Structure formats: C-alpha cells, structure tokens
Amino acid sequence: QIQLVESGGGSVQAGGSLRLSCTAYGYTYSTNCMAWFRQAPGTEREGVAAIRISDRRTYYTDSVKGRFTISEDNDKNTVYLEMNSLKPEDTAMYYCAARFDCYSESWSKSLDFAYWGQGTQVTVSS
C-alpha cells in the first residue's frame, strides 16, 4: 500500500509562483510514475504533469507547458510541481497520484492511477 501526502498549496496573485510537494510512503518500488492532477468545481479531473521516476521523462498538458515543472527527489520519495506565472484559470484542487508506469498515450488518464493524495488547494486571484 502507498500513501501520498501533498503540501504547498495556497493563495497567490496572478503571475506569482507556488511549489507543491508530494511525499510517498509505503511500498513505493511498485510505482514508477508520479503525476499531478487538478480539479476545479464543476469540471473533470485534469492531468497537469507526470514524471517517470526511472528516467525522469516528463509529460505536461499544453496549458502549463513553459510555466510548470515537475521534478522528483528519489531519496526523499518526493515529487514537486513548481508553478510559475500562475493564472486565475490554474485555480483548482491539486492532487498527487501514482501508478506503475507512465505511458505517452495515457499518462493523464486519472482512472489508470491507483493511488491518490488528499489534495491541496491552489487559488490564483486576478
């Protein structure tokens, strides 16, 4: 079993930055793919970014490319999401998720992720 614990959310003005952290506890050897999803009220959960731990290959949704960076510290079992140039449309609950591996065609499909954190709120004001 794996437990994911997120931190780092908060409120920021447009153009600001935040860094989210997600630490994995338990049998983490079975998960080679860590991702961040977000969900705003009334919308579907959206894949934001993912990273394959073994080779650090990264994946991003188009709307955050060039602004967000996903990274990992394997020694700490922690994945980060550095968010810069934040926009009001980035406002959402952000969730960390884990699965066996990342694949180009399915990294953003929430149903394929077995493990989820409790979420951390990010609010960007204009």
Side-chain angles (χ1 to χ4, degrees):
Q1 191 72 347
I2 295 171
Q3 182 182 13
L4 303 176
V5 179
E6 302 110 330
S7 62
S11 297
V12 66
Q13 289 191 329
S17 299
L18 285 173
R19 187 175 81 156
L20 307 183
S21 300
C22 172
T23 300
Y25 299 93
Y27 191 69
T28 60
Y29 298 103
S30 63
T31 54
N32 192 35
C33 180
M34 300 290 291
W36 288 95
F37 286 77
R38 65 185 179 188
Q39 188 169 22
T43 68
E44 292 187 356
R45 193 165 293 190
E46 172 192 28
V48 176
I51 185 167
R52 180 186 292 156
I53 304 302
S54 58
D55 61 6
R56 295 183 175 174
R57 179 175 178 177
T58 57
Y59 307 81
Y60 296 94
T61 191
D62 286 345
S63 62
V64 306
K65 286 180 180 177
R67 301 189 298 122
F68 291 12
T69 302
I70 189 170
S71 61
E72 60 86 26
D73 185 335
N74 209 26
D75 291 339
K76 297 181 180 179
N77 289 331
T78 299
V79 173
Y80 305 96
L81 185 67
E82 186 76 35
M83 304 185 294
N84 298 314
S85 302
L86 282 161
K87 304 175 181 180
E89 50 263 43
D90 294 319
T91 295
M93 185 72 78
Y94 282 70
Y95 298 91
C96 178
R99 59 178 286 184
F100 175 69
D101 206 348
C102 291
Y103 305 99
S104 298
E105 67 277 10
S106 64
W107 72 266
S108 61
K109 295 182 178 179
S110 60
L111 291 178
D112 291 346
F113 283 79
Y115 304 101
W116 292 86
Q118 80 287 354
T120 185
Q121 178 68 36
V122 171
T123 302
V124 184
S125 57
S126 57

